[in-house]
Amino acid sequence: MPRFVTHLESALDGTHLDANQLQTLHAGRPLWVKYDLPAIAAAVDRDIFATRDSSMFRYRELLPVGDVIQPVSLGEGNSPLLPCPRLGKQMGLENLFIKDESQLPTGSFKSRGLSMAVTMAKHFGVEKLAIPTAGNAGGATAAYAARAGMQAYVLMPADTPIVNMMECVWAGAQVYLVDGLINDCGRLLKQGIEPIGWFDLSTLKEPYRIEGKKTMGLEIAQQFDWKLPDVILYPTGGGTGLIGMWKAFNELRELGWLDSKNMPRMVSVQSDGCCPISTAFDAGERFAEPFENASTAASGLRVPVAVGDFMILDAVRESGGLALAAPESKLETWQYQSTQAEGISVCPETAACIGALEQLVQDDWIKPDEKVVVFNTGAAQKYVSMQVPDLPRLDAQGEIDWRKLID
Ligand SMILES: *Cc1c(COP(=O)(O)O)cnc(C)c1O
Protein backbone atom coordinates (compact mmCIF):
# COMPACT_ATOMS: atom_id res chain seq x y z
CA MET A 1 0.00 0.00 0.00
CA PRO A 2 1.50 3.40 -0.97
CA ARG A 3 0.13 5.31 2.01
CA PHE A 4 -1.93 4.24 4.99
CA VAL A 5 -4.15 7.30 5.50
CA THR A 6 -7.83 6.29 5.39
CA HIS A 7 -9.58 9.63 5.95
CA LEU A 8 -9.68 12.86 7.94
CA GLU A 9 -12.01 13.17 10.89
CA SER A 10 -13.48 16.17 12.70
CA ALA A 11 -12.01 16.30 16.19
CA LEU A 12 -15.26 17.80 17.47
CA ASP A 13 -18.01 15.64 15.96
CA GLY A 14 -16.31 12.76 14.12
CA THR A 15 -17.46 13.74 10.60
CA HIS A 16 -15.35 11.98 7.93
CA LEU A 17 -13.63 14.02 5.20
CA ASP A 18 -11.72 13.00 2.09
CA ALA A 19 -7.96 12.84 2.72
CA ASN A 20 -7.19 12.95 -1.00
CA GLN A 21 -7.95 16.61 -1.29
CA LEU A 22 -6.88 19.78 0.48
CA GLN A 23 -8.82 20.26 3.72
CA THR A 24 -8.75 22.88 6.44
CA LEU A 25 -11.28 22.89 9.29
CA HIS A 26 -14.70 21.35 9.78
CA ALA A 27 -17.30 23.55 11.49
CA GLY A 28 -14.45 25.85 12.55
CA ARG A 29 -12.58 23.11 14.41
CA PRO A 30 -9.55 20.90 13.58
CA LEU A 31 -9.28 17.52 11.85
CA TRP A 32 -7.49 14.30 12.78
CA VAL A 33 -5.60 12.28 10.19
CA LYS A 34 -6.70 8.64 10.48
CA TYR A 35 -4.69 5.59 9.42
CA ASP A 36 -5.31 1.93 8.75
CA LEU A 37 -3.30 0.84 11.80
CA PRO A 38 -3.81 -2.94 11.39
CA ALA A 39 -2.46 -2.63 7.84
CA ILE A 40 0.59 -0.72 9.13
CA ALA A 41 1.21 -3.35 11.81
CA ALA A 42 1.03 -6.05 9.14
CA ALA A 43 3.33 -4.20 6.74
CA VAL A 44 6.16 -2.98 8.99
CA ASP A 45 7.98 -3.92 12.14
CA ARG A 46 8.94 -1.23 14.67
CA ASP A 47 12.62 -2.22 14.39
CA ILE A 48 12.78 -0.95 10.82
CA PHE A 49 12.91 2.70 11.92
CA ALA A 50 16.37 2.36 13.49
CA THR A 51 17.75 1.19 10.13
CA ARG A 52 16.62 4.26 8.18
CA ASP A 53 18.09 7.75 7.87
CA SER A 54 17.43 9.95 10.87
CA SER A 55 14.90 12.51 9.59
CA MET A 56 11.36 12.25 10.95
CA PHE A 57 10.32 10.77 7.61
CA ARG A 58 11.79 7.47 8.75
CA TYR A 59 8.31 6.98 10.28
CA ARG A 60 6.71 7.48 6.85
CA GLU A 61 4.17 4.64 7.20
CA LEU A 62 2.74 6.46 10.24
CA LEU A 63 2.73 9.78 8.41
CA PRO A 64 0.55 11.17 5.63
CA VAL A 65 3.33 10.81 3.05
CA GLY A 66 3.67 7.02 3.02
CA ASP A 67 5.96 5.89 0.23
CA VAL A 68 4.45 8.13 -2.41
CA ILE A 69 4.65 11.78 -1.41
CA GLN A 70 8.06 13.45 -1.67
CA PRO A 71 8.93 15.17 1.64
CA VAL A 72 10.02 18.82 1.81
CA SER A 73 12.77 18.20 4.32
CA LEU A 74 15.77 19.86 5.97
CA GLY A 75 16.71 16.76 7.94
CA GLU A 76 14.39 17.58 10.88
CA GLY A 77 13.93 15.05 13.66
CA ASN A 78 16.02 12.76 15.81
CA SER A 79 16.69 15.33 18.53
CA PRO A 80 18.74 13.99 21.44
CA LEU A 81 17.06 12.81 24.62
CA LEU A 82 19.62 14.07 27.13
CA PRO A 83 19.87 12.66 30.66
CA CYS A 84 20.02 15.57 33.14
CA PRO A 85 21.44 14.20 36.39
CA ARG A 86 22.61 17.52 37.83
CA LEU A 87 19.38 19.44 37.17
CA GLY A 88 17.45 16.33 38.24
CA LYS A 89 19.24 16.29 41.57
CA GLN A 90 18.43 19.96 42.13
CA MET A 91 14.79 19.15 41.46
CA GLY A 92 14.79 15.97 43.55
CA LEU A 93 14.52 13.59 40.59
CA GLU A 94 16.59 10.56 39.67
CA ASN A 95 15.48 10.19 36.05
CA LEU A 96 15.14 13.56 34.38
CA PHE A 97 15.61 13.97 30.62
CA ILE A 98 15.45 16.96 28.31
CA LYS A 99 14.48 16.30 24.71
CA ASP A 100 16.42 19.03 22.97
CA GLU A 101 14.45 20.32 20.03
CA SER A 102 16.60 23.45 19.85
CA GLN A 103 18.97 21.41 17.68
CA LEU A 104 16.47 21.05 14.83
CA PRO A 105 16.47 23.09 11.58
CA THR A 106 15.46 26.72 12.27
CA GLY A 107 16.24 26.15 15.95
CA SER A 108 12.90 24.87 17.17
CA PHE A 109 10.51 21.92 17.03
CA LYS A 110 8.31 23.98 14.69
CA SER A 111 10.35 22.51 11.83
CA ARG A 112 8.62 19.15 12.31
CA GLY A 113 5.10 20.48 11.88
CA LEU A 114 5.92 22.85 9.09
CA SER A 115 7.97 20.34 7.14
CA MET A 116 4.88 18.12 7.10
CA ALA A 117 2.36 20.89 6.42
CA VAL A 118 4.42 22.36 3.57
CA THR A 119 5.00 18.87 2.14
CA MET A 120 1.26 18.23 1.96
CA ALA A 121 0.37 21.73 0.74
CA LYS A 122 2.85 21.33 -2.11
CA HIS A 123 1.45 17.88 -2.88
CA PHE A 124 -2.02 19.38 -3.21
CA GLY A 125 -0.82 22.15 -5.53
CA VAL A 126 -0.81 25.12 -3.16
CA GLU A 127 1.41 28.01 -4.30
CA LYS A 128 1.13 30.67 -1.61
CA LEU A 129 1.55 29.85 2.06
CA ALA A 130 0.50 32.24 4.82
CA ILE A 131 0.96 32.01 8.56
CA PRO A 132 0.30 34.07 11.68
CA THR A 133 3.08 33.43 14.17
CA ALA A 134 4.37 34.20 17.64
CA GLY A 135 7.87 33.72 16.18
CA ASN A 136 9.33 30.30 15.45
CA ALA A 137 6.51 29.03 13.24
CA GLY A 138 7.14 31.95 10.90
CA GLY A 139 10.84 31.15 10.63
CA ALA A 140 10.12 27.50 9.93
CA THR A 141 7.45 28.34 7.35
CA ALA A 142 9.83 30.68 5.55
CA ALA A 143 12.57 28.04 5.48
CA TYR A 144 10.37 25.18 4.25
CA ALA A 145 8.63 27.40 1.70
CA ALA A 146 12.07 28.30 0.31
CA ARG A 147 13.02 24.61 0.32
CA ALA A 148 9.84 23.82 -1.62
CA GLY A 149 10.17 26.75 -4.04
CA MET A 150 6.96 28.32 -2.73
CA GLN A 151 6.15 31.86 -1.56
CA ALA A 152 5.53 32.46 2.17
CA TYR A 153 3.67 35.36 3.78
CA VAL A 154 4.27 35.78 7.51
CA LEU A 155 2.25 37.96 9.91
CA MET A 156 3.80 38.51 13.33
CA PRO A 157 3.46 40.83 16.34
CA ALA A 158 5.74 43.86 15.94
CA ASP A 159 7.53 42.94 19.19
CA THR A 160 8.45 39.39 18.11
CA PRO A 161 12.16 38.55 18.76
CA ILE A 162 14.15 40.08 15.87
CA VAL A 163 15.86 36.78 15.04
CA ASN A 164 12.43 35.44 14.09
CA MET A 165 11.89 38.43 11.80
CA MET A 166 15.28 38.07 10.18
CA GLU A 167 15.06 34.33 9.57
CA CYS A 168 11.87 34.99 7.59
CA VAL A 169 13.41 37.88 5.65
CA TRP A 170 16.56 35.88 4.87
CA ALA A 171 14.50 33.02 3.45
CA GLY A 172 12.56 35.35 1.15
CA ALA A 173 9.23 35.41 2.98
CA GLN A 174 7.11 38.55 2.87
CA VAL A 175 6.85 39.70 6.47
CA TYR A 176 4.14 41.93 7.92
CA LEU A 177 4.36 43.31 11.47
CA VAL A 178 1.14 43.72 13.42
CA ASP A 179 0.54 45.88 16.47
CA GLY A 180 -1.20 43.09 18.30
CA LEU A 181 -0.94 39.39 19.15
CA ILE A 182 -0.94 36.18 17.13
CA ASN A 183 -4.75 35.99 17.10
CA ASP A 184 -4.90 39.50 15.59
CA CYS A 185 -2.41 38.32 12.94
CA GLY A 186 -4.68 35.35 12.25
CA ARG A 187 -7.70 37.61 11.79
CA LEU A 188 -5.87 39.85 9.30
CA LEU A 189 -4.54 36.81 7.45
CA LYS A 190 -8.07 35.50 6.90
CA GLN A 191 -8.81 38.60 4.85
CA GLY A 192 -6.12 37.57 2.34
CA ILE A 193 -7.28 34.00 1.75
CA GLU A 194 -9.88 34.83 -0.89
CA PRO A 195 -8.27 37.73 -2.75
CA ILE A 196 -4.66 36.46 -2.77
CA GLY A 197 -5.27 32.72 -2.74
CA TRP A 198 -3.31 32.12 0.47
CA PHE A 199 -3.33 28.73 2.13
CA ASP A 200 -3.56 29.22 5.91
CA LEU A 201 -0.93 27.20 7.79
CA SER A 202 -2.10 28.40 11.24
CA THR A 203 -1.76 25.97 14.12
CA LEU A 204 -4.38 23.22 13.65
CA LYS A 205 -6.19 25.03 10.81
CA GLU A 206 -4.85 22.40 8.44
CA PRO A 207 -4.53 18.75 9.50
CA TYR A 208 -0.86 17.97 8.90
CA ARG A 209 1.20 20.02 11.35
CA ILE A 210 0.00 17.68 14.13
CA GLU A 211 1.34 14.71 12.16
CA GLY A 212 4.79 16.29 12.03
CA LYS A 213 4.73 17.05 15.76
CA LYS A 214 3.58 13.50 16.38
CA THR A 215 7.09 12.33 15.51
CA MET A 216 8.32 13.73 18.87
CA GLY A 217 6.21 11.05 20.54
CA LEU A 218 7.37 8.34 18.13
CA GLU A 219 10.98 9.30 18.83
CA ILE A 220 10.56 9.23 22.61
CA ALA A 221 9.13 5.71 22.31
CA GLN A 222 11.99 4.56 20.11
CA GLN A 223 14.67 6.32 22.21
CA PHE A 224 13.32 4.71 25.41
CA ASP A 225 13.21 1.31 23.75
CA TRP A 226 9.40 1.33 23.37
CA LYS A 227 8.74 1.93 27.08
CA LEU A 228 7.15 5.33 27.62
CA PRO A 229 8.19 7.71 30.44
CA ASP A 230 5.93 8.47 33.42
CA VAL A 231 5.54 12.22 32.92
CA ILE A 232 6.04 14.63 30.00
CA LEU A 233 6.13 18.39 30.54
CA TYR A 234 5.41 20.47 27.49
CA PRO A 235 5.27 24.27 27.11
CA THR A 236 1.93 24.92 25.48
CA GLY A 237 0.95 27.67 23.08
CA GLY A 238 -1.35 26.41 20.33
CA GLY A 239 -0.88 22.90 21.64
CA THR A 240 0.08 20.95 18.50
CA GLY A 241 3.08 19.35 20.20
CA LEU A 242 1.16 17.97 23.14
CA ILE A 243 -1.81 16.90 21.02
CA GLY A 244 0.49 15.28 18.46
CA MET A 245 2.46 13.30 21.04
CA TRP A 246 -0.68 12.01 22.72
CA LYS A 247 -1.95 10.89 19.29
CA ALA A 248 1.38 9.15 18.65
CA PHE A 249 1.23 7.25 21.95
CA ASN A 250 -2.31 6.08 21.25
CA GLU A 251 -1.43 4.95 17.74
CA LEU A 252 1.62 3.06 19.06
CA ARG A 253 -0.55 1.37 21.67
CA GLU A 254 -3.08 0.33 19.02
CA LEU A 255 -0.26 -0.97 16.85
CA GLY A 256 0.86 -3.14 19.75
CA TRP A 257 4.36 -1.64 19.57
CA LEU A 258 4.67 -0.51 23.21
CA ASP A 259 6.42 -2.70 25.76
CA SER A 260 5.07 -0.73 28.70
CA LYS A 261 1.47 -0.59 29.90
CA ASN A 262 1.64 2.90 31.34
CA MET A 263 0.97 5.97 29.25
CA PRO A 264 2.73 9.20 30.25
CA ARG A 265 0.86 11.81 32.27
CA MET A 266 0.88 14.82 29.96
CA VAL A 267 1.54 18.17 31.66
CA SER A 268 0.65 21.31 29.75
CA VAL A 269 2.71 24.24 31.04
CA GLN A 270 2.09 27.94 30.44
CA SER A 271 3.27 31.20 32.02
CA ASP A 272 0.87 33.05 34.30
CA GLY A 273 1.33 35.93 31.83
CA CYS A 274 -0.75 33.94 29.31
CA CYS A 275 -2.48 30.81 30.60
CA PRO A 276 -5.86 30.18 28.97
CA ILE A 277 -5.38 26.40 29.08
CA SER A 278 -4.48 26.05 32.75
CA THR A 279 -7.32 28.45 33.59
CA ALA A 280 -9.81 26.24 31.73
CA PHE A 281 -8.29 23.12 33.31
CA ASP A 282 -8.74 24.53 36.81
CA ALA A 283 -12.31 25.52 36.01
CA GLY A 284 -13.10 22.01 34.73
CA GLU A 285 -13.95 23.39 31.28
CA ARG A 286 -13.34 21.71 27.91
CA PHE A 287 -13.03 25.00 26.01
CA ALA A 288 -10.85 27.93 27.06
CA GLU A 289 -11.84 31.60 27.33
CA PRO A 290 -9.60 34.07 25.46
CA PHE A 291 -6.85 35.26 27.84
CA GLU A 292 -6.94 39.02 28.34
CA ASN A 293 -3.77 41.18 28.21
CA ALA A 294 -1.48 38.27 27.40
CA SER A 295 2.13 39.15 28.11
CA THR A 296 5.14 36.86 28.45
CA ALA A 297 8.81 36.80 27.44
CA ALA A 298 8.17 33.22 26.32
CA SER A 299 6.88 34.30 22.91
CA GLY A 300 5.88 30.74 21.94
CA LEU A 301 3.43 30.74 24.84
CA ARG A 302 1.86 34.08 23.92
CA VAL A 303 -1.22 32.45 22.41
CA PRO A 304 -4.36 33.84 24.08
CA VAL A 305 -6.78 31.77 21.97
CA ALA A 306 -6.16 28.18 20.83
CA VAL A 307 -8.49 26.65 18.22
CA GLY A 308 -7.51 23.20 19.55
CA ASP A 309 -8.11 24.07 23.23
CA PHE A 310 -10.42 21.07 23.73
CA MET A 311 -7.90 18.72 22.11
CA ILE A 312 -5.18 19.87 24.54
CA LEU A 313 -7.49 19.60 27.54
CA ASP A 314 -8.84 16.19 26.43
CA ALA A 315 -5.28 14.82 26.05
CA VAL A 316 -4.19 16.19 29.43
CA ARG A 317 -7.23 14.72 31.20
CA GLU A 318 -7.24 11.36 29.39
CA SER A 319 -3.60 10.90 30.33
CA GLY A 320 -4.17 11.66 34.01
CA GLY A 321 -2.02 14.76 33.65
CA LEU A 322 -2.70 18.39 34.38
CA ALA A 323 -2.29 21.94 33.12
CA LEU A 324 -0.59 24.63 35.15
CA ALA A 325 0.98 28.07 34.89
CA ALA A 326 4.43 28.97 36.20
CA PRO A 327 5.09 32.53 37.41
CA GLU A 328 6.42 34.77 34.65
CA SER A 329 8.62 36.61 37.16
CA LYS A 330 10.79 33.50 37.66
CA LEU A 331 11.30 32.37 34.04
CA GLU A 332 14.75 33.90 33.82
CA THR A 333 15.86 32.26 37.08
CA TRP A 334 14.83 28.82 35.84
CA GLN A 335 16.40 29.46 32.45
CA TYR A 336 19.76 30.24 34.10
CA GLN A 337 19.44 27.34 36.52
CA SER A 338 18.85 24.68 33.88
CA THR A 339 21.35 26.03 31.37
CA GLN A 340 24.02 26.25 34.07
CA ALA A 341 23.26 22.79 35.41
CA GLU A 342 23.39 20.98 32.07
CA GLY A 343 24.76 23.26 29.33
CA ILE A 344 21.56 22.97 27.33
CA SER A 345 20.41 26.35 26.01
CA VAL A 346 16.94 26.33 27.50
CA CYS A 347 14.38 28.74 26.03
CA PRO A 348 12.02 30.76 28.27
CA GLU A 349 9.10 28.48 27.29
CA THR A 350 10.99 25.50 28.68
CA ALA A 351 11.99 27.52 31.75
CA ALA A 352 8.28 27.58 32.59
CA CYS A 353 8.36 23.77 32.51
CA ILE A 354 11.29 23.70 34.92
CA GLY A 355 9.26 25.88 37.31
CA ALA A 356 6.27 23.57 36.93
CA LEU A 357 8.51 20.58 37.54
CA GLU A 358 9.84 22.06 40.79
CA GLN A 359 6.27 22.65 41.94
CA LEU A 360 5.02 19.17 41.02
CA VAL A 361 7.89 17.41 42.79
CA GLN A 362 7.29 19.55 45.89
CA ASP A 363 3.60 18.62 45.74
CA ASP A 364 4.60 14.94 45.49
CA TRP A 365 2.60 14.72 42.25
CA ILE A 366 5.83 13.51 40.63
CA LYS A 367 7.74 10.85 42.64
CA PRO A 368 11.55 11.03 42.87
CA ASP A 369 12.12 7.82 40.87
CA GLU A 370 9.68 8.56 38.05
CA LYS A 371 11.01 8.96 34.54
CA VAL A 372 10.34 12.55 33.46
CA VAL A 373 10.86 14.23 30.08
CA VAL A 374 10.89 18.02 29.64
CA PHE A 375 10.82 19.45 26.14
CA ASN A 376 13.28 22.17 25.20
CA THR A 377 11.18 23.43 22.32
CA GLY A 378 13.53 26.07 20.93
CA ALA A 379 16.93 27.69 21.09
CA ALA A 380 17.57 30.29 23.78
CA GLN A 381 19.85 32.09 21.30
CA LYS A 382 16.82 33.43 19.44
CA TYR A 383 15.77 35.68 22.34
CA VAL A 384 18.33 38.40 21.75
CA SER A 385 16.19 41.15 23.26
CA MET A 386 16.74 39.61 26.70
CA GLN A 387 18.51 41.85 29.19
CA VAL A 388 22.28 41.28 29.23
CA PRO A 389 23.68 41.39 32.78
CA ASP A 390 26.48 43.87 33.61
CA LEU A 391 29.67 42.37 32.17
CA PRO A 392 33.18 43.65 32.95
CA ARG A 393 34.90 45.64 30.19
CA LEU A 394 38.66 45.42 29.72
CA ASP A 395 40.96 48.08 28.31
CA ALA A 396 42.65 46.50 25.28
CA GLN A 397 45.89 48.34 25.94
CA GLY A 398 45.91 48.05 29.72
CA GLU A 399 47.58 45.79 32.25
CA ILE A 400 45.37 43.46 34.25
CA ASP A 401 45.84 41.94 37.66
CA TRP A 402 43.73 38.84 37.02
CA ARG A 403 44.03 37.67 40.63
CA LYS A 404 42.29 40.87 41.75
CA LEU A 405 39.64 40.61 39.06
CA ILE A 406 38.77 36.95 39.68
CA ASP A 407 38.32 36.12 43.32
C1 LIG B 1 5.50 27.37 19.31
C2 LIG B 1 6.32 27.18 20.50
C3 LIG B 1 5.79 26.60 21.67
C4 LIG B 1 4.35 26.19 21.77
O1 LIG B 1 4.12 25.05 21.01
P1 LIG B 1 2.67 24.52 20.62
O2 LIG B 1 2.89 23.16 20.10
O3 LIG B 1 2.11 25.47 19.64
O4 LIG B 1 1.87 24.50 21.88
C5 LIG B 1 6.66 26.39 22.73
N1 LIG B 1 7.95 26.75 22.67
C6 LIG B 1 8.49 27.32 21.57
C7 LIG B 1 9.93 27.69 21.59
C8 LIG B 1 7.70 27.54 20.45
O5 LIG B 1 8.25 28.10 19.37
Coordinates of all heavy atoms in Angstrom, one line a residue, residues 108-110 136-137 203 209 213 234-242 300-301 347 349 377-378 383, ligand 1:
S108 N 14.0 25.2 16.3 CA 12.9 24.9 17.2 C 12.2 23.7 16.6 O 12.3 23.3 15.4 CB 11.9 26.0 17.3 OG 10.9 26.0 16.3
F109 N 11.3 23.1 17.5 CA 10.5 21.9 17.0 C 9.5 22.3 16.0 O 8.8 21.4 15.4 CB 9.8 21.3 18.3 CG 8.6 22.1 18.7 CD1 7.4 21.5 18.5 CD2 8.7 23.3 19.2 CE1 6.2 22.2 18.9 CE2 7.6 24.1 19.5 CZ 6.3 23.5 19.3
K110 N 9.3 23.6 15.7 CA 8.3 24.0 14.7 C 8.7 23.4 13.3 O 7.8 23.3 12.5 CB 8.3 25.5 14.6 CG 7.6 26.2 15.8 CD 6.2 26.0 15.8 CE 5.4 27.0 16.8 NZ 5.9 27.0 18.2
N136 N 8.6 31.4 16.1 CA 9.3 30.3 15.4 C 8.6 29.6 14.3 O 9.2 29.1 13.4 CB 9.6 29.2 16.5 CG 10.8 29.7 17.4 OD1 11.7 30.3 16.9 ND2 10.7 29.3 18.7
A137 N 7.3 29.6 14.3 CA 6.5 29.0 13.2 C 6.7 29.8 11.9 O 6.8 29.2 10.9 CB 5.0 29.0 13.6
T203 N -1.7 27.1 13.2 CA -1.8 26.0 14.1 C -3.1 25.3 14.0 O -4.1 26.0 14.3 CB -1.5 26.4 15.6 OG1 -0.3 27.1 15.6 CG2 -1.5 25.3 16.5
R209 N 0.2 19.6 10.4 CA 1.2 20.0 11.4 C 1.2 19.1 12.5 O 2.3 18.7 13.0 CB 1.0 21.5 11.8 CG 1.6 22.5 10.8 CD 1.3 23.9 11.2 NE 2.1 24.3 12.4 CZ 1.9 25.5 13.0 NH1 1.1 26.4 12.5 NH2 2.6 25.8 14.1
K213 N 4.4 17.0 14.3 CA 4.7 17.0 15.8 C 4.6 15.7 16.4 O 5.3 15.4 17.4 CB 3.8 18.0 16.5 CG 3.8 19.4 15.9 CD 5.0 20.2 16.4 CE 5.0 21.6 15.8 NZ 4.0 22.5 16.5
Y234 N 5.4 19.8 28.8 CA 5.4 20.5 27.5 C 4.9 21.9 27.6 O 3.8 22.2 28.0 CB 4.5 19.6 26.5 CG 4.7 20.1 25.1 CD1 5.7 19.6 24.3 CD2 3.9 21.1 24.6 CE1 5.9 20.1 23.1 CE2 4.1 21.6 23.3 CZ 5.1 21.1 22.6 OH 5.3 21.5 21.3
P235 N 5.7 22.9 27.1 CA 5.3 24.3 27.1 C 4.2 24.5 26.0 O 4.5 24.2 24.8 CB 6.5 25.1 26.8 CG 7.5 24.1 26.1 CD 7.1 22.7 26.5
T236 N 3.1 24.9 26.4 CA 1.9 24.9 25.5 C 1.5 26.3 25.0 O 1.2 27.2 25.8 CB 0.7 24.3 26.2 OG1 1.1 23.0 26.6 CG2 -0.4 24.1 25.2
G237 N 1.5 26.5 23.7 CA 0.9 27.7 23.1 C -0.3 27.3 22.4 O -1.4 27.2 23.0
G238 N -0.2 26.9 21.1 CA -1.4 26.4 20.3 C -1.6 24.9 20.6 O -2.7 24.5 20.4
G239 N -0.6 24.3 21.1 CA -0.9 22.9 21.6 C -0.6 21.7 20.7 O -0.7 20.6 21.1
T240 N -0.1 22.1 19.5 CA 0.1 21.0 18.5 C 1.0 19.9 19.0 O 0.9 18.7 18.7 CB 0.7 21.4 17.2 OG1 1.6 22.4 17.4 CG2 -0.4 21.9 16.2
G241 N 2.1 20.3 19.7 CA 3.1 19.3 20.2 C 2.5 18.3 21.2 O 2.6 17.1 21.0
L242 N 1.8 18.9 22.1 CA 1.2 18.0 23.1 C 0.1 17.1 22.5 O 0.1 15.9 22.8 CB 0.6 18.8 24.3 CG 0.1 18.1 25.5 CD1 0.4 18.9 26.8 CD2 -1.3 17.7 25.5
G300 N 6.6 31.9 22.4 CA 5.9 30.7 21.9 C 4.6 30.4 22.8 O 3.8 29.7 22.3
L301 N 4.6 31.0 24.0 CA 3.4 30.7 24.8 C 2.4 31.9 24.8 O 1.4 31.8 25.4 CB 3.9 30.6 26.3 CG 4.9 29.5 26.6 CD1 5.2 29.4 28.0 CD2 4.5 28.2 26.0
C347 N 15.2 27.6 26.4 CA 14.4 28.7 26.0 C 13.4 29.1 27.2 O 13.1 28.3 28.0 CB 13.6 28.5 24.7 SG 12.4 27.2 24.8
E349 N 10.3 29.4 27.3 CA 9.1 28.5 27.3 C 9.4 27.3 28.1 O 8.6 26.8 29.0 CB 8.7 28.0 25.9 CG 8.2 29.1 25.0 CD 9.2 30.0 24.3 OE1 10.4 29.9 24.7 OE2 8.9 30.9 23.5
T377 N 11.8 23.3 23.6 CA 11.2 23.4 22.3 C 11.9 24.3 21.3 O 11.7 24.2 20.1 CB 9.8 24.0 22.5 OG1 9.8 25.0 23.5 CG2 8.8 22.9 23.0
G378 N 12.8 25.2 21.9 CA 13.5 26.1 20.9 C 14.8 26.6 21.5 O 15.1 26.4 22.7
Y383 N 16.4 34.6 21.5 CA 15.8 35.7 22.3 C 16.8 36.8 22.6 O 17.1 37.0 23.8 CB 15.2 35.1 23.6 CG 14.2 34.0 23.3 CD1 14.6 32.7 22.9 CD2 12.8 34.3 23.4 CE1 13.6 31.8 22.6 CE2 11.9 33.3 23.0 CZ 12.3 32.0 22.7 OH 11.4 31.1 22.4
Ligands
LIG1 C1 5.5 27.4 19.3 C2 6.3 27.2 20.5 C3 5.8 26.6 21.7 C4 4.4 26.2 21.8 O1 4.1 25.0 21.0 P1 2.7 24.5 20.6 O2 2.9 23.2 20.1 O3 2.1 25.5 19.6 O4 1.9 24.5 21.9 C5 6.7 26.4 22.7 N1 8.0 26.8 22.7 C6 8.5 27.3 21.6 C7 9.9 27.7 21.6 C8 7.7 27.5 20.5 O5 8.3 28.1 19.4

